């Protein structure tokens, strides 16, 4: 489904150019659950920004579903992003002055749905992530784990092909982390949503199908996890 071919990413810093991603070749199949690990600064977020159609200042090719996205306009790319990928972040990135309903509705606004349809879809998806009767609250009335569930609801409300999660359990205790991981595993199994999860936590990574280790901007090694 996803394929990076000889991808390199440089960033200009004054007169210097920093080579951040180096000769990345990566395939991710539909339905896979992939973890990405590596030290801070190794290029993980840079990599997922490319995968998530946020950044295309790279050299090399990104093929998604047989198409190449490098030549698309910014608007076309934003539309593809909204239809194709859901994002989940360490610090949830919810809008604190908006209700849960409004937060989870955002991708549907871009998709052009009317208010009633939006509300129904949001309520459905909040049930799927185990949140009931919370839609009129603002995020800071919820625990960290519940806020991450709201962020996951927002990520899945458009039924994306894949989810990119950047350290989704980094701000959560271990029990809550596992609850979030269970939700990701369920989405992967039941809906077939492809999962790409950046993590420092080996207990999270060991539950993925495959772990990609990044070091200094290179894929250092990959391991396939055997689950019983
Ligand atoms: N937009 C940018 N401009 C300049 N340098 C960047 C930019 N994004 C990332 N970098 C640099 O790329 C390196 C890798 O960053 P990042 O991908 O965020 O690492 P990680 O997510 O693994 O911690 C860092 O040295 C960072 O400073
Ligand atoms: Mg990062």
């Amino acid at each position: 489904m996803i394929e990076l071919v000889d991808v390199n990413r440089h960033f200009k810093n004054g007169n210097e150019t920093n080579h951040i991603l180096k000769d990345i070749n990566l395939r991710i199949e539909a339905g896979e659950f992939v973890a990405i690990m590596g030290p801070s600064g190794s290029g993980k977020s840079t990599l997922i920004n490319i995968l998530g159609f946020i950044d295309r200042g790279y050299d090399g090719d990104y093929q998604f579903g047989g198409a190449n996205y490098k030549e698309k306009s910014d608007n076309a790319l934003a539309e593809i992003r909204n239809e194709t990928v859901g994002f989940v972040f360490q610090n949830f990135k919810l809008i604190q002055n908006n209700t849960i309903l409004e937060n989870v509705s955002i991708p549907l606004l871009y998709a052009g749905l009317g208010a009633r349809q939006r509300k129904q879809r949001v309520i459905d998806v909040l049930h799927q992530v185990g949140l009931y009767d919370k839609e009129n609250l603002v995020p800071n009335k919820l625990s960290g784990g519940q806020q991450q569930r709201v962020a996951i609801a927002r990520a899945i409300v458009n039924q994306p092909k894949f989810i990119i999660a950047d350290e989704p359990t980094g701000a959560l205790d271990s029990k809550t982390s596992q609850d979030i991981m269970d939700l990701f595993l369920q989405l992967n199994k039941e809906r077939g949503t492809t999962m790409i999860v950046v993590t420092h936590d080996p207990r999270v990574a060991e539950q993925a199908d495959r772990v990609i280790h990044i070091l200094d901007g290179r894929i250092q090694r990959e391991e396939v996890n055997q689950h019983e």
Side-chain angles (χ1 to χ4, degrees):
M1 178 173 75
I2 287 170
E3 186 165 20
L4 297 181
V5 182
D6 295 330
V7 164
N8 284 273
R9 181 64 165 110
H10 299 84
F11 288 113
K12 281 215 169 64
N13 181 8
N15 293 330
E16 263 180 61
T17 300
N18 296 322
H19 192 180
I20 300 299
L21 288 179
K22 299 164 186 161
D23 304 327
I24 301 287
N25 287 286
L26 177 62
R27 273 181 75 105
I28 298 175
E29 304 299 338
E32 260 197 297
F33 195 128
V34 174
I36 300 177
M37 298 190 87
S40 188
S42 58
K44 305 180 298 297
S45 294
T46 303
L47 175 62
I48 60 176
N49 285 343
I50 295 173
L51 293 175
F53 309 107
I54 290 173
D55 173 34
R56 54 181 162 166
Y58 54 87
D59 301 312
D61 273 320
Y62 177 10
Q63 300 275 339
F64 176 80
N68 193 325
Y69 290 92
K70 212 160 178 187
E71 313 305 329
K72 306 259 183 207
S73 70
D74 286 350
N75 283 343
L77 206 70
E79 200 166 301
I80 291 159
R81 180 163 66 235
N82 191 52
E83 287 171 359
T84 310
V85 50
F87 293 93
V88 178
F89 302 95
Q90 175 169 2
N91 54 2
F92 324 132
K93 293 206 183 176
L94 301 174
I95 302 170
Q96 290 297 334
N97 294 325
N98 285 6
T99 64
I100 305 304
L101 174 65
E102 289 163 341
N103 270 279
V104 179
S105 294
I106 290 168
L108 300 176
L109 286 170
Y110 289 125
L113 261 72
R116 275 182 60 160
Q117 277 179 300
R118 288 201 303 270
K119 184 161 184 184
Q120 194 51 54
R121 284 273 287 278
V122 170
I123 305 263
D124 284 349
V125 88
L126 286 173
H127 274 75
Q128 286 169 41
V129 301
L131 289 176
Y132 306 88
D133 297 330
K134 305 280 193 220
E135 62 271 12
N136 294 318
L137 300 179
V138 292
N140 69 17
K141 296 287 175 208
L142 305 182
S143 69
Q146 288 174 322
Q147 290 191 52
Q148 195 58 300
R149 287 173 187 274
V150 173
I152 293 168
R154 180 183 57 190
I156 65 175
V157 73
N158 258 350
Q159 300 177 297
K161 298 269 191 311
F162 62 97
I163 289 179
I164 289 177
D166 199 352
E167 291 274 354
T169 64
L172 304 174
D173 64 65
S174 59
K175 159 77 171 69
T176 310
S177 292
Q178 188 55 46
D179 292 343
I180 294 298
M181 209 36 208
D182 287 340
L183 187 52
F184 285 153
L185 290 163
Q186 187 192 343
L187 287 170
N188 178 247
K189 242 201 186 98
E190 292 177 6
R191 289 201 189 188
T193 308
T194 307
M195 294 292 316
I196 303 170
V197 177
V198 172
T199 186
H200 282 296
D201 186 346
R203 287 164 302 183
V204 167
E206 73 189 7
Q207 297 176 71
D209 299 324
R210 182 154 64 108
V211 188
I212 296 161
H213 294 268
I214 311 275
L215 185 65
D216 296 334
R218 281 184 200 282
I219 295 179
Q220 183 197 27
R221 65 192 169 89
E222 296 189 27
E223 59 197 325
V224 174
N225 286 330
Q226 304 296 340
H227 299 126
E228 62 293 336

